[in-house]
Amino acid sequence: MILYADDILILSPSVSQLEHLLHACESDLAWLDMAINFSKSCCIRVCPRCDKSCVNISSKTGSNIPWVTEMRYLGVYFVQSRYLKCSLTVAKRGFCRVANSIFGKIGRSASEKVILQLISSKCIPILLHGLVVLSMQKYQLNSLYFVINRFLMKLFKTSNIRIVQCQELFHFKLPSVQLARRRKLFLDKFCVCV
């Protein structure tokens, strides 16, 4: 079980154990005069048999928790898969929304260095939120590169990918570099806590 503020994530190797853990959580929360909001609750399968249908999970009060193919926990969208996998669609959409907003306000009046600094400090955290603790597949990193490269093409008014790769001159770090740095900081803090 993973707890963060009022968000609870229950992990279980089987459906029956999941239901048992749910009932235990309900009992403990009832003792605290709290209840689970079942309209916001859902179940997702992450296993080799993720595409097979499952028995519904029922609460002690008789509420059923639906099985879904995608769920959000602390801003990260997890998808039903054979292994733990997240969807980057919402993060990429958020990056584009904020980057276009910055670019729309500043336009061409600021230098490329200033715009890249704003993108690095305001948009990249949106794109990389929660990805530090997940192992990323190559195609997922490539999809992050694609979003950034498209924005850089817009910024530098080019369609040539070689021109866009000059971001090193502006000390603009790619997602893989930033993820590696953030992962190291996370693990350092985690080791200190343990």
Side-chain angles (χ1 to χ4, degrees):
M1 190 176 332
I2 299 171
L3 304 169
Y4 184 82
D6 64 345
D7 291 322
I8 301 173
L9 180 67
I10 302 173
L11 304 171
S12 171
S14 72
V15 177
S16 61
Q17 286 181 352
L18 179 62
E19 192 168 54
H20 179 70
L21 284 170
L22 174 66
H23 293 171
C25 283
E26 282 182 288
S27 298
D28 288 349
L29 289 172
W31 185 80
L32 295 169
D33 200 23
M34 298 174 75
I36 297 173
N37 185 348
F38 290 104
S39 64
K40 292 183 177 181
S41 301
C42 62
C43 296
I44 191 168
R45 289 185 79 184
V46 177
C47 65
R49 299 186 51 192
C50 63
D51 55 341
K52 306 295 184 216
S53 61
C54 268
V55 172
N56 286 332
I57 303 290
S58 320
S59 69
K60 284 183 172 182
T61 59
S63 301
N64 284 333
I65 302 177
W67 288 95
V68 295
T69 57
E70 183 178 270
M71 67 169 250
R72 184 177 131 202
Y73 183 70
L74 301 178
V76 178
Y77 288 81
F78 294 97
V79 293
Q80 174 181 302
S81 179
R82 293 179 172 276
Y83 54 90
L84 188 61
K85 182 177 163 184
C86 67
S87 172
L88 302 174
T89 306
V90 175
K92 292 189 292 187
R93 191 179 311 134
F95 170 87
C96 291
R97 184 179 60 246
V98 175
N100 287 331
S101 175
I102 289 171
F103 200 64
K105 300 275 190 235
I106 295 174
R108 304 264 177 220
S109 62
S111 69
E112 285 87 1
K113 187 171 185 169
V114 169
I115 293 172
L116 284 175
Q117 181 60 39
L118 283 170
I119 296 300
S120 184
S121 63
K122 300 295 182 190
C123 302
I124 296 294
I126 293 170
L127 188 64
L128 302 181
H129 174 74
L131 301 182
V132 174
V133 296
L134 298 171
S135 59
M136 300 286 291
Q137 300 291 326
K138 182 141 176 86
Y139 77 91
Q140 290 175 315
L141 279 174
N142 287 340
S143 73
L144 296 179
Y145 289 148
F146 180 79
V147 171
I148 290 173
N149 285 337
R150 296 308 286 176
F151 179 78
L152 293 174
M153 286 178 177
K154 179 179 179 179
L155 176 63
F156 294 118
K157 297 184 204 172
T158 184
S159 60
N160 188 346
I161 193 70
R162 289 187 181 149
I163 291 173
V164 171
Q165 291 173 345
C166 71
Q167 72 262 14
E168 294 169 4
L169 299 173
F170 295 101
H171 305 290
F172 185 77
K173 306 286 188 236
L174 291 174
S176 59
V177 174
Q178 290 197 23
L179 273 175
R181 184 181 62 79
R182 287 173 178 224
R183 187 170 286 128
K184 183 183 179 325
L185 289 172
F186 173 79
L187 290 174
D188 290 346
K189 285 181 185 177
F190 184 75
C191 290
V192 168
C193 292
V194 175

